[in-house]
Amino acid sequence: MSPSSKEIDAVVVQDPLEPSSKSSAMPGAVCPTPIFDHKQVVLGHGSGGKLTAELIEKLFLPAFTNPILERLDDQAVLEIGGSRLAFTTDSFVVTPIFFAGGDIGDLAINGTVNDLAMSGARPLYLSAAFILEEGLTMDELRRVVTSMQRAAASAGVQLVTGDTKVVNRGKGDKIFITTTGIGLVEGAVNISAANARPGDVVILSGYIGDHGMAILSQRENLEFEGEIRSDTAALHGLVAAMLEASPNIHALRDPTRGGVATTLNEIAARSKVGIRLNETAIPVRDTVKGACEILGLDPLFVANEGKLLAIVAPDAASAILERMRIHQHGTGACIVGEVVSEHPGMVLMKTEIGGTRVLDTLFGEQLPRIC
Amino acid sequence: MKYLDEYRDGKLAQKVVNEIRKVQTRPWVIMEVCGGQTHSIVKHGIDFLLPEGIELVHGPGCPVCVTPLEMIDKAHAIARQQEVIFCSFGDMLRVPGSEGDLFSIKSQGGDVRIVYSPLDCIKIARANPDKMVVFFAIGFETTAPANAMLVWRAHQEGIKNVSVLVSHVLVPPAISFILDSSQNRVQGFLGPGHVCTIVGYSDYEPIAERYHVPIVITGFEPLDLLQGTLMTVRLLEAGRNVVENQYARVLGREGNRAAQKLVEDVFEVSDRKWRGVGNIPASGLQLRSQFREHDAERLFDVGEIDTKEPEICISGQILRGIKKPHDCTAFGTLCTPQNPLGATMVSAEGSCAAYYTYGRHLKKEPELVSIAAPSPGGVA
């Protein structure tokens, strides 16, 4: 992999996040953050894109700043009494609450289990807080709870505390669930979005875009040939297997909101490295690809709920990949790119036809195009 | 995947590029007319594959971009009204008017909905008889039939609470406008494949003849665009100013007669103002008078709207192929998709927004070209 980077060493690209003396020649680089001018919260603030990042950087981070939060990983890793605990929380507000391949219940368990797993932790205990809208049928609530029960049992985690609130009809959207989880990080594992190094290999665990397109096609009543099903799954078993194959995993992320492109941009920015992808290596199902083409969406920015991206040491890649492929959630695992020292903070992709494209973080949500 | 991967084959693409190199004897400036083509070119890095001397300039064919600011403001004024459900294609929602965009109107309590088909408005209107459903009917000839169908069906079925805010534009007058300019640089065109799927391409023949330019009606996939470019370069080199059809798998010379008839029944040709360009005579469509009960502009009196575009913006020149996004001092700094100063930045298909979305504000083009060079043993 690495020989290619030599040939393109001559390309000097500055870190878009750090304006330098050269920036006058590059107008884009002098504007590190977008102009922020919202008097009200808009949906894009929850998209996982630039608007979300802005909200975190300009409001939440200054308010609560501390070294643990500043790592901006999907979970905090805390040293308590000689143990390393992973700690995370996530809210689930999906519409519709039942969709092909899953529902808000298993999503709420798997999402938090995955956020713990992405630190290499063994997930242990979860809490669940329910905000229910008056009028939600008991049948629906029971279905959600049963699904949570099944997902928790299958993930080997216990739900040990919780809370229930009910809001007036019209003040919620059937059901919102927040789950919080803790897990144990064992051994010499040190996984963080800030740990990617030049020369590392980017591994993707399988097909992308399934969850986002399943939700969208169901929500908008779009009928495509061949059902698209959410990929929601708990990934800690896969992570444990990968760590067994080699501890040299530097960064792990599950590309949920904002998809693979946004996640890799976060890793590139946090690790101050460049990432180079090969479009032909990225697996997208025909149904998802087709649905995305019709709507003018890009699968690289579509949410996944059962996939992970791993940045691993080059000499560990084949052992990890081999182990992933015999795990049920990693059968489609493949190498999709590499980490380079050039263009820090940026993700470049060699396109199917051999052109080059920069994968930037989106501003807000992806919008279907007119024609 | 079938009908997609075939048109994104890297080896075939290289073959076509080599063929262009073989045929070309001098520099040529070619304009792709349609915003969808611009998007595809920038997304796949097609312009970086082309031999030096073949310059693609980006045309005015992004319907969201060229919708005048006054019309956007009018749409927003209507969308703010309590009795209205305002429906639009997705990419119109983030286009800012003088005060905010449709997303912010939604956050303030306006009922704004994305629809995938204009006909969805019929369902929405039936489910909400006490509301007026207003559809923002914008676009070129491509969206005109579906938009016309909405009006026609609402009229036929007596659904009174459906109306449309029309801002339809036509491609041929825009091409003539570009070619009439004394500053024109464009020597050949990649014609708009989807527009011609509806209207055919006979209207383009007199343009090719009159202005001595070859026009190749072209599709949207990478290989379509490369083949269209090859065909255009061949015509340019041979000095043949004719219309050819690269997109023959989709369209014929006559287009879709049924769609044309529907559009003619519902709309009539009118003058239209183009954002960044100005008024172009007979360059748009408006509702025929028998459908006036569905005309949102008539139903809603939103008062005088006075708009002002930032002077720094050069989108007018970009839309005519005279300049490129990088030529603008505001590009990527003062002007970004979240804070667009003009037409070509407001929609994903505008050339400034496409350049920005695909990260071209982050570095200069020559640097991207060198990355695009083949790298044996590159990423697996």
Side-chain angles (χ1 to χ4, degrees), chain A residues 1 27-28 34 40-41 43 220 278 286 289 293 295 338 348 351-353 355-358 363 365 367-371, chain B residues 1 4-5 8 43-44 46 49 89-91 94 106-108 116 333 338 349 358 361 363 367 370-372 378-380:
Chain A
M1 297 230 122
Q40 267 146 330
V41 172
L43 278 175
E220 305 297 340
N278 189 350
D286 280 356
K289 202 171 184 177
E293 282 295 327
L295 296 171
E338 62 180 332
L348 297 194
T351 65
E352 284 169 292
I353 60 151
T356 301
R357 169 183 164 192
V358 178
F363 176 57
E365 296 183 40
L367 296 175
R369 288 190 285 123
I370 175 171
C371 59
Chain B
M1 130 173 233
L4 205 55
D5 294 339
R8 296 181 182 181
K43 177 176 173 186
H44 296 281
I46 291 166
L49 290 177
F89 292 124
D91 42 3
R94 209 175 278 136
K106 184 167 182 276
S107 76
Q108 289 153 17
Y116 296 89
T333 52
Q338 42 277 41
E349 292 182 2
Y358 295 112
H361 59 298
K363 47 187 143 132
E367 290 168 347
S370 54
I371 287 175
V379 285

Short mmCIF file of all heavy atoms in Angstrom, two decimals, chain A residues 1 27-28 34 40-41 43 220 278 286 289 293 295 338 348 351-353 355-358 363 365 367-371, chain B residues 1 4-5 8 43-44 46 49 89-91 94 106-108 116 333 338 349 358 361 363 367 370-372 378-380:
data_model
loop_
_atom_site.label_atom_id
_atom_site.label_comp_id
_atom_site.label_asym_id
_atom_site.label_seq_id
_atom_site.Cartn_x
_atom_site.Cartn_y
_atom_site.Cartn_z
N MET A 1 0.80 -1.22 0.00
CA MET A 1 0.00 0.00 0.00
C MET A 1 0.83 1.26 0.00
O MET A 1 0.55 2.21 -0.68
CB MET A 1 -0.80 0.06 1.29
CG MET A 1 -1.77 -1.03 1.45
SD MET A 1 -3.25 -0.21 1.85
CE MET A 1 -4.30 -0.72 0.60
N PRO A 27 -8.29 30.48 -0.78
CA PRO A 27 -9.35 31.18 -0.08
C PRO A 27 -10.12 30.32 0.90
O PRO A 27 -10.47 30.76 1.97
CB PRO A 27 -10.27 31.65 -1.21
CG PRO A 27 -9.50 31.51 -2.47
CD PRO A 27 -8.38 30.56 -2.22
N GLY A 28 -10.34 29.04 0.52
CA GLY A 28 -11.17 28.18 1.35
C GLY A 28 -10.58 27.95 2.73
O GLY A 28 -11.29 27.79 3.71
N PRO A 34 -17.67 27.16 9.34
CA PRO A 34 -18.69 27.86 8.57
C PRO A 34 -19.29 29.02 9.36
O PRO A 34 -19.23 29.04 10.59
CB PRO A 34 -19.75 26.79 8.33
CG PRO A 34 -19.13 25.50 8.71
CD PRO A 34 -18.05 25.80 9.66
N GLN A 40 -32.59 29.68 15.62
CA GLN A 40 -33.34 28.55 16.15
C GLN A 40 -32.66 27.25 15.76
O GLN A 40 -31.89 27.22 14.79
CB GLN A 40 -34.76 28.55 15.56
CG GLN A 40 -35.74 29.27 16.46
CD GLN A 40 -36.82 29.99 15.69
OE1 GLN A 40 -36.61 30.45 14.57
NE2 GLN A 40 -37.98 30.09 16.29
N VAL A 41 -32.96 26.21 16.50
CA VAL A 41 -32.43 24.90 16.15
C VAL A 41 -33.13 24.43 14.88
O VAL A 41 -34.34 24.53 14.75
CB VAL A 41 -32.67 23.90 17.29
CG1 VAL A 41 -32.29 22.49 16.86
CG2 VAL A 41 -31.87 24.31 18.52
N LEU A 43 -33.26 21.13 11.81
CA LEU A 43 -33.04 19.68 11.78
C LEU A 43 -31.58 19.32 11.53
O LEU A 43 -31.06 18.36 12.05
CB LEU A 43 -33.93 19.04 10.71
CG LEU A 43 -35.36 18.76 11.16
CD1 LEU A 43 -36.17 18.24 9.99
CD2 LEU A 43 -35.40 17.76 12.30
N GLU A 220 -40.88 7.29 3.55
CA GLU A 220 -41.43 8.04 2.42
C GLU A 220 -42.26 7.16 1.50
O GLU A 220 -42.61 7.58 0.40
CB GLU A 220 -40.30 8.69 1.63
CG GLU A 220 -39.37 9.58 2.47
CD GLU A 220 -40.08 10.77 3.09
OE1 GLU A 220 -41.17 11.14 2.60
OE2 GLU A 220 -39.56 11.32 4.07
N ASN A 278 -10.62 3.99 -1.85
CA ASN A 278 -10.78 3.50 -3.21
C ASN A 278 -12.25 3.17 -3.41
O ASN A 278 -12.76 2.23 -2.80
CB ASN A 278 -9.91 2.26 -3.39
CG ASN A 278 -9.86 1.83 -4.82
OD1 ASN A 278 -10.60 2.33 -5.67
ND2 ASN A 278 -8.97 0.89 -5.12
N ASP A 286 -26.72 -3.50 -4.51
CA ASP A 286 -27.36 -2.94 -5.70
C ASP A 286 -28.64 -2.18 -5.36
O ASP A 286 -28.91 -1.12 -5.91
CB ASP A 286 -27.69 -4.05 -6.70
CG ASP A 286 -26.46 -4.44 -7.51
OD1 ASP A 286 -25.41 -3.79 -7.33
OD2 ASP A 286 -26.55 -5.38 -8.31
N LYS A 289 -27.66 1.09 -3.77
CA LYS A 289 -27.04 1.93 -4.79
C LYS A 289 -28.12 2.52 -5.71
O LYS A 289 -28.13 3.71 -6.00
CB LYS A 289 -26.07 1.08 -5.61
CG LYS A 289 -25.00 1.85 -6.33
CD LYS A 289 -23.99 0.85 -6.90
CE LYS A 289 -22.83 1.58 -7.57
NZ LYS A 289 -21.82 0.65 -8.07
N GLU A 293 -29.24 6.39 -6.14
CA GLU A 293 -29.15 7.05 -7.44
C GLU A 293 -30.46 7.75 -7.78
O GLU A 293 -30.47 8.88 -8.23
CB GLU A 293 -28.84 6.03 -8.54
CG GLU A 293 -27.40 5.60 -8.59
CD GLU A 293 -26.44 6.73 -8.96
OE1 GLU A 293 -26.83 7.61 -9.75
OE2 GLU A 293 -25.31 6.73 -8.44
N LEU A 295 -32.72 8.89 -5.80
CA LEU A 295 -33.01 10.04 -4.95
C LEU A 295 -31.91 11.10 -4.97
O LEU A 295 -32.04 12.15 -4.36
CB LEU A 295 -33.23 9.56 -3.51
CG LEU A 295 -34.43 8.65 -3.32
CD1 LEU A 295 -34.43 8.06 -1.94
CD2 LEU A 295 -35.72 9.41 -3.59
N GLU A 338 -6.38 3.69 2.92
CA GLU A 338 -5.17 3.76 3.73
C GLU A 338 -5.06 5.14 4.37
O GLU A 338 -5.65 6.11 3.89
CB GLU A 338 -3.95 3.47 2.87
CG GLU A 338 -3.77 4.50 1.76
CD GLU A 338 -2.56 4.25 0.87
OE1 GLU A 338 -1.59 3.66 1.36
OE2 GLU A 338 -2.61 4.66 -0.30
N LEU A 348 -9.67 11.76 0.75
CA LEU A 348 -9.74 11.76 -0.71
C LEU A 348 -10.15 10.38 -1.19
O LEU A 348 -9.82 9.38 -0.56
CB LEU A 348 -8.39 12.10 -1.34
CG LEU A 348 -7.77 13.47 -1.08
CD1 LEU A 348 -6.63 13.70 -2.07
CD2 LEU A 348 -8.78 14.57 -1.22
N THR A 351 -12.09 7.67 -7.58
CA THR A 351 -13.44 7.29 -8.02
C THR A 351 -13.38 6.06 -8.91
O THR A 351 -12.31 5.66 -9.38
CB THR A 351 -14.14 8.44 -8.78
OG1 THR A 351 -13.41 8.69 -9.99
CG2 THR A 351 -14.19 9.71 -7.95
N GLU A 352 -14.56 5.48 -9.15
CA GLU A 352 -14.66 4.27 -9.95
C GLU A 352 -13.96 4.41 -11.30
O GLU A 352 -13.38 3.48 -11.81
CB GLU A 352 -16.14 3.93 -10.21
CG GLU A 352 -16.84 3.32 -9.03
CD GLU A 352 -18.34 3.27 -9.26
OE1 GLU A 352 -18.98 4.35 -9.29
OE2 GLU A 352 -18.88 2.17 -9.41
N ILE A 353 -14.06 5.61 -11.88
CA ILE A 353 -13.49 5.76 -13.21
C ILE A 353 -12.06 6.28 -13.15
O ILE A 353 -11.45 6.59 -14.17
CB ILE A 353 -14.34 6.69 -14.11
CG1 ILE A 353 -14.45 8.08 -13.48
CG2 ILE A 353 -15.69 6.12 -14.38
CD1 ILE A 353 -14.62 9.15 -14.52
N GLY A 355 -10.93 9.03 -11.40
CA GLY A 355 -10.79 10.45 -11.02
C GLY A 355 -10.56 10.57 -9.52
O GLY A 355 -10.48 9.56 -8.81
N THR A 356 -10.42 11.79 -9.05
CA THR A 356 -10.23 11.99 -7.62
C THR A 356 -11.34 12.87 -7.08
O THR A 356 -11.75 13.80 -7.74
CB THR A 356 -8.89 12.68 -7.33
OG1 THR A 356 -7.85 11.88 -7.85
CG2 THR A 356 -8.67 12.85 -5.84
N ARG A 357 -11.78 12.56 -5.88
CA ARG A 357 -12.85 13.33 -5.29
C ARG A 357 -12.51 13.55 -3.83
O ARG A 357 -11.98 12.66 -3.16
CB ARG A 357 -14.13 12.51 -5.44
CG ARG A 357 -15.29 13.01 -4.67
CD ARG A 357 -16.47 12.07 -4.86
NE ARG A 357 -17.43 12.38 -3.82
CZ ARG A 357 -18.47 11.64 -3.52
NH1 ARG A 357 -18.71 10.54 -4.19
NH2 ARG A 357 -19.27 12.01 -2.55
N VAL A 358 -12.78 14.74 -3.33
CA VAL A 358 -12.62 15.00 -1.91
C VAL A 358 -13.93 14.65 -1.23
O VAL A 358 -14.99 15.07 -1.67
CB VAL A 358 -12.28 16.48 -1.65
CG1 VAL A 358 -12.15 16.75 -0.16
CG2 VAL A 358 -11.00 16.86 -2.37
N PHE A 363 -22.92 19.68 5.33
CA PHE A 363 -23.38 20.77 6.17
C PHE A 363 -24.48 20.27 7.11
O PHE A 363 -24.38 20.35 8.33
CB PHE A 363 -23.88 21.87 5.26
CG PHE A 363 -24.48 23.04 5.98
CD1 PHE A 363 -23.75 23.73 6.93
CD2 PHE A 363 -25.77 23.44 5.69
CE1 PHE A 363 -24.31 24.81 7.57
CE2 PHE A 363 -26.33 24.51 6.34
CZ PHE A 363 -25.60 25.20 7.28
N GLU A 365 -28.35 17.65 6.63
CA GLU A 365 -28.79 16.38 6.09
C GLU A 365 -28.64 16.36 4.57
O GLU A 365 -28.66 17.40 3.93
CB GLU A 365 -30.26 16.17 6.43
CG GLU A 365 -30.47 16.06 7.92
CD GLU A 365 -31.91 15.77 8.27
OE1 GLU A 365 -32.54 14.98 7.56
OE2 GLU A 365 -32.39 16.34 9.25
N LEU A 367 -30.02 16.08 1.01
CA LEU A 367 -31.35 16.37 0.46
C LEU A 367 -31.50 15.71 -0.90
O LEU A 367 -30.59 15.76 -1.71
CB LEU A 367 -31.52 17.89 0.31
CG LEU A 367 -31.50 18.68 1.60
CD1 LEU A 367 -31.56 20.17 1.30
CD2 LEU A 367 -32.66 18.28 2.49
N PRO A 368 -32.66 15.11 -1.13
CA PRO A 368 -32.89 14.54 -2.47
C PRO A 368 -32.81 15.65 -3.51
O PRO A 368 -33.27 16.76 -3.27
CB PRO A 368 -34.32 14.01 -2.37
CG PRO A 368 -34.64 13.93 -0.93
CD PRO A 368 -33.82 14.97 -0.26
N ARG A 369 -32.25 15.34 -4.66
CA ARG A 369 -32.08 16.36 -5.69
C ARG A 369 -33.26 16.39 -6.66
O ARG A 369 -33.95 15.40 -6.82
CB ARG A 369 -30.77 16.14 -6.45
CG ARG A 369 -29.57 16.48 -5.60
CD ARG A 369 -28.29 16.51 -6.40
NE ARG A 369 -27.82 15.18 -6.74
CZ ARG A 369 -27.59 14.76 -7.97
NH1 ARG A 369 -27.84 15.57 -9.00
NH2 ARG A 369 -27.14 13.56 -8.20
N ILE A 370 -33.43 17.51 -7.32
CA ILE A 370 -34.62 17.72 -8.15
C ILE A 370 -34.61 16.86 -9.40
O ILE A 370 -35.62 16.29 -9.78
CB ILE A 370 -34.79 19.22 -8.48
CG1 ILE A 370 -35.94 19.45 -9.44
CG2 ILE A 370 -33.54 19.84 -9.03
CD1 ILE A 370 -36.29 20.90 -9.63
N CYS A 371 -33.49 16.77 -10.09
CA CYS A 371 -33.46 15.94 -11.31
C CYS A 371 -32.05 15.56 -11.70
O CYS A 371 -31.13 15.91 -11.03
CB CYS A 371 -34.13 16.65 -12.47
SG CYS A 371 -33.40 18.23 -12.90
N MET B 1 -23.57 -2.98 -10.63
CA MET B 1 -25.01 -3.09 -10.77
C MET B 1 -25.44 -2.77 -12.19
O MET B 1 -24.84 -1.94 -12.86
CB MET B 1 -25.62 -2.17 -9.72
CG MET B 1 -26.66 -1.23 -10.18
SD MET B 1 -27.42 -0.36 -8.82
CE MET B 1 -29.12 -0.72 -9.22
N LEU B 4 -25.65 0.71 -14.36
CA LEU B 4 -24.95 1.74 -13.61
C LEU B 4 -23.45 1.48 -13.71
O LEU B 4 -22.69 2.30 -14.19
CB LEU B 4 -25.41 1.71 -12.15
CG LEU B 4 -25.28 3.02 -11.39
CD1 LEU B 4 -25.99 4.14 -12.11
CD2 LEU B 4 -25.87 2.86 -10.00
N ASP B 5 -23.04 0.27 -13.27
CA ASP B 5 -21.61 -0.04 -13.28
C ASP B 5 -21.02 0.01 -14.69
O ASP B 5 -19.87 0.39 -14.87
CB ASP B 5 -21.37 -1.42 -12.66
CG ASP B 5 -21.74 -1.44 -11.19
OD1 ASP B 5 -21.79 -0.36 -10.59
OD2 ASP B 5 -22.00 -2.53 -10.65
N ARG B 8 -19.58 3.22 -15.47
CA ARG B 8 -18.56 3.74 -14.55
C ARG B 8 -17.30 2.88 -14.61
O ARG B 8 -16.59 2.75 -13.62
CB ARG B 8 -19.11 3.77 -13.13
CG ARG B 8 -20.27 4.72 -13.00
CD ARG B 8 -20.83 4.81 -11.61
NE ARG B 8 -21.96 5.71 -11.62
CZ ARG B 8 -22.67 6.02 -10.54
NH1 ARG B 8 -22.35 5.51 -9.38
NH2 ARG B 8 -23.68 6.86 -10.62
N LYS B 43 -18.17 15.18 -9.14
CA LYS B 43 -18.20 14.03 -8.22
C LYS B 43 -17.20 12.95 -8.64
O LYS B 43 -16.50 12.38 -7.81
CB LYS B 43 -19.62 13.45 -8.17
CG LYS B 43 -19.74 12.22 -7.30
CD LYS B 43 -21.18 11.75 -7.20
CE LYS B 43 -21.24 10.43 -6.47
NZ LYS B 43 -22.59 9.86 -6.48
N HIS B 44 -17.16 12.65 -9.93
CA HIS B 44 -16.30 11.57 -10.38
C HIS B 44 -14.91 12.06 -10.80
O HIS B 44 -14.06 11.27 -11.20
CB HIS B 44 -16.96 10.83 -11.54
CG HIS B 44 -18.24 10.14 -11.15
ND1 HIS B 44 -18.26 8.94 -10.48
CD2 HIS B 44 -19.54 10.51 -11.29
CE1 HIS B 44 -19.52 8.58 -10.26
NE2 HIS B 44 -20.31 9.53 -10.73
N ILE B 46 -14.19 13.82 -13.45
CA ILE B 46 -14.06 13.61 -14.89
C ILE B 46 -13.19 14.68 -15.56
O ILE B 46 -12.38 14.39 -16.44
CB ILE B 46 -15.46 13.57 -15.55
CG1 ILE B 46 -16.17 12.30 -15.10
CG2 ILE B 46 -15.36 13.62 -17.07
CD1 ILE B 46 -17.65 12.31 -15.38
N LEU B 49 -9.64 13.93 -15.69
CA LEU B 49 -9.20 12.84 -16.56
C LEU B 49 -8.94 13.32 -17.98
O LEU B 49 -8.21 12.71 -18.74
CB LEU B 49 -10.27 11.74 -16.62
CG LEU B 49 -10.49 10.91 -15.36
CD1 LEU B 49 -11.63 9.93 -15.58
CD2 LEU B 49 -9.23 10.16 -14.98
N PHE B 89 -39.41 20.16 -3.84
CA PHE B 89 -38.32 19.21 -4.01
C PHE B 89 -37.29 19.51 -2.92
O PHE B 89 -37.14 20.66 -2.48
CB PHE B 89 -37.68 19.36 -5.38
CG PHE B 89 -38.57 18.96 -6.53
CD1 PHE B 89 -38.85 19.84 -7.57
CD2 PHE B 89 -39.13 17.69 -6.58
CE1 PHE B 89 -39.66 19.47 -8.63
CE2 PHE B 89 -39.95 17.31 -7.64
CZ PHE B 89 -40.22 18.20 -8.66
N GLY B 90 -36.55 18.46 -2.52
CA GLY B 90 -35.65 18.57 -1.36
C GLY B 90 -34.62 19.68 -1.44
O GLY B 90 -34.41 20.41 -0.47
N ASP B 91 -33.98 19.83 -2.60
CA ASP B 91 -32.84 20.73 -2.61
C ASP B 91 -33.23 22.21 -2.57
O ASP B 91 -32.38 23.08 -2.48
CB ASP B 91 -31.88 20.45 -3.77
CG ASP B 91 -32.59 20.15 -5.07
OD1 ASP B 91 -33.83 20.21 -5.09
OD2 ASP B 91 -31.91 19.84 -6.06
N ARG B 94 -32.93 24.30 1.43
CA ARG B 94 -31.83 25.00 2.07
C ARG B 94 -31.45 26.29 1.34
O ARG B 94 -30.49 26.95 1.69
CB ARG B 94 -30.62 24.07 2.19
CG ARG B 94 -29.76 24.41 3.37
CD ARG B 94 -28.64 23.41 3.56
NE ARG B 94 -29.07 22.23 4.26
CZ ARG B 94 -28.74 21.00 3.90
NH1 ARG B 94 -27.98 20.78 2.87
NH2 ARG B 94 -29.17 19.98 4.60
N LYS B 106 -39.67 26.08 8.73
CA LYS B 106 -40.19 24.87 9.37
C LYS B 106 -39.90 24.90 10.87
O LYS B 106 -40.77 24.58 11.69
CB LYS B 106 -39.53 23.65 8.72
CG LYS B 106 -40.04 22.30 9.19
CD LYS B 106 -39.55 21.21 8.23
CE LYS B 106 -40.08 19.86 8.63
NZ LYS B 106 -39.29 19.20 9.65
N SER B 107 -38.71 25.32 11.24
CA SER B 107 -38.36 25.34 12.67
C SER B 107 -39.19 26.39 13.43
O SER B 107 -39.34 26.31 14.63
CB SER B 107 -36.87 25.59 12.87
OG SER B 107 -36.55 26.95 12.66
N GLN B 108 -39.72 27.36 12.68
CA GLN B 108 -40.58 28.37 13.32
C GLN B 108 -42.05 27.98 13.30
O GLN B 108 -42.91 28.76 13.67
CB GLN B 108 -40.39 29.73 12.61
CG GLN B 108 -39.04 30.36 12.88
CD GLN B 108 -38.59 31.29 11.77
OE1 GLN B 108 -39.39 31.71 10.93
NE2 GLN B 108 -37.30 31.61 11.73
N TYR B 116 -41.35 13.80 -3.24
CA TYR B 116 -40.53 13.17 -4.26
C TYR B 116 -41.21 13.25 -5.62
O TYR B 116 -40.57 13.19 -6.64
CB TYR B 116 -40.24 11.72 -3.88
CG TYR B 116 -39.43 11.65 -2.61
CD1 TYR B 116 -40.04 11.62 -1.36
CD2 TYR B 116 -38.04 11.69 -2.67
CE1 TYR B 116 -39.29 11.60 -0.21
CE2 TYR B 116 -37.29 11.68 -1.52
CZ TYR B 116 -37.91 11.63 -0.29
OH TYR B 116 -37.16 11.62 0.85
N THR B 333 -14.95 31.27 1.07
CA THR B 333 -14.68 32.08 2.26
C THR B 333 -15.96 32.77 2.71
O THR B 333 -16.65 32.31 3.60
CB THR B 333 -13.58 33.13 1.98
OG1 THR B 333 -13.92 33.86 0.82
CG2 THR B 333 -12.23 32.47 1.78
N GLN B 338 -23.59 27.00 3.10
CA GLN B 338 -24.42 27.40 4.24
C GLN B 338 -24.69 28.90 4.24
O GLN B 338 -25.58 29.37 4.91
CB GLN B 338 -23.88 26.92 5.57
CG GLN B 338 -22.41 27.02 5.83
CD GLN B 338 -21.61 25.88 5.25
OE1 GLN B 338 -21.85 25.42 4.14
NE2 GLN B 338 -20.65 25.42 5.99
N GLU B 349 -26.41 21.33 -7.27
CA GLU B 349 -26.06 21.21 -8.68
C GLU B 349 -25.46 22.48 -9.27
O GLU B 349 -25.04 22.50 -10.42
CB GLU B 349 -27.28 20.76 -9.49
CG GLU B 349 -27.65 19.34 -9.14
CD GLU B 349 -28.80 18.80 -9.92
OE1 GLU B 349 -29.32 19.52 -10.78
OE2 GLU B 349 -29.18 17.66 -9.66
N TYR B 358 -17.39 18.90 -3.22
CA TYR B 358 -16.34 17.92 -3.49
C TYR B 358 -14.96 18.46 -3.13
O TYR B 358 -13.95 18.06 -3.67
CB TYR B 358 -16.46 17.41 -4.93
CG TYR B 358 -17.75 16.66 -5.07
CD1 TYR B 358 -18.79 17.13 -5.86
CD2 TYR B 358 -17.98 15.51 -4.32
CE1 TYR B 358 -20.01 16.46 -5.92
CE2 TYR B 358 -19.19 14.84 -4.38
CZ TYR B 358 -20.20 15.32 -5.17
OH TYR B 358 -21.40 14.66 -5.22
N HIS B 361 -12.66 23.70 -2.71
CA HIS B 361 -12.26 24.97 -2.10
C HIS B 361 -11.04 24.75 -1.21
O HIS B 361 -10.40 25.68 -0.80
CB HIS B 361 -13.41 25.53 -1.25
CG HIS B 361 -13.83 24.58 -0.16
ND1 HIS B 361 -14.33 23.33 -0.42
CD2 HIS B 361 -13.79 24.70 1.19
CE1 HIS B 361 -14.60 22.72 0.73
NE2 HIS B 361 -14.28 23.52 1.72
N LYS B 363 -8.28 23.15 -1.90
CA LYS B 363 -7.00 23.28 -2.60
C LYS B 363 -7.20 23.66 -4.04
O LYS B 363 -8.30 23.58 -4.57
CB LYS B 363 -6.22 22.00 -2.50
CG LYS B 363 -7.03 20.78 -2.80
CD LYS B 363 -6.16 19.63 -2.49
CE LYS B 363 -6.95 18.53 -1.89
NZ LYS B 363 -6.74 17.27 -2.42
N GLU B 367 -3.34 20.75 -7.94
CA GLU B 367 -2.93 19.79 -6.92
C GLU B 367 -3.81 18.54 -6.98
O GLU B 367 -3.35 17.43 -6.79
CB GLU B 367 -3.01 20.42 -5.53
CG GLU B 367 -1.91 21.45 -5.37
CD GLU B 367 -2.09 22.31 -4.14
OE1 GLU B 367 -3.17 22.28 -3.55
OE2 GLU B 367 -1.13 23.00 -3.79
N SER B 370 -2.70 16.26 -9.80
CA SER B 370 -1.56 15.39 -9.57
C SER B 370 -1.93 14.19 -8.70
O SER B 370 -1.35 13.13 -8.82
CB SER B 370 -0.39 16.16 -8.96
OG SER B 370 -0.83 16.82 -7.81
N ILE B 371 -2.92 14.35 -7.86
CA ILE B 371 -3.37 13.20 -7.07
C ILE B 371 -4.09 12.20 -7.98
O ILE B 371 -4.01 11.01 -7.82
CB ILE B 371 -4.30 13.65 -5.92
CG1 ILE B 371 -3.47 14.34 -4.87
CG2 ILE B 371 -5.02 12.45 -5.30
CD1 ILE B 371 -4.28 14.92 -3.75
N ALA B 372 -4.77 12.75 -8.98
CA ALA B 372 -5.54 11.89 -9.87
C ALA B 372 -4.65 11.03 -10.75
O ALA B 372 -5.10 10.08 -11.36
CB ALA B 372 -6.46 12.73 -10.74
N GLY B 378 -1.72 1.55 -5.46
CA GLY B 378 -2.40 2.47 -4.55
C GLY B 378 -3.32 1.69 -3.62
O GLY B 378 -3.13 0.51 -3.41
N VAL B 379 -4.32 2.36 -3.10
CA VAL B 379 -5.18 1.68 -2.14
C VAL B 379 -5.78 0.42 -2.76
O VAL B 379 -6.16 0.41 -3.91
CB VAL B 379 -6.30 2.62 -1.62
CG1 VAL B 379 -5.71 3.60 -0.65
CG2 VAL B 379 -7.01 3.30 -2.74
N ALA B 380 -5.84 -0.61 -1.95
CA ALA B 380 -6.23 -1.93 -2.47
C ALA B 380 -7.64 -1.92 -2.98
O ALA B 380 -8.48 -1.22 -2.46
CB ALA B 380 -6.09 -2.96 -1.38
#
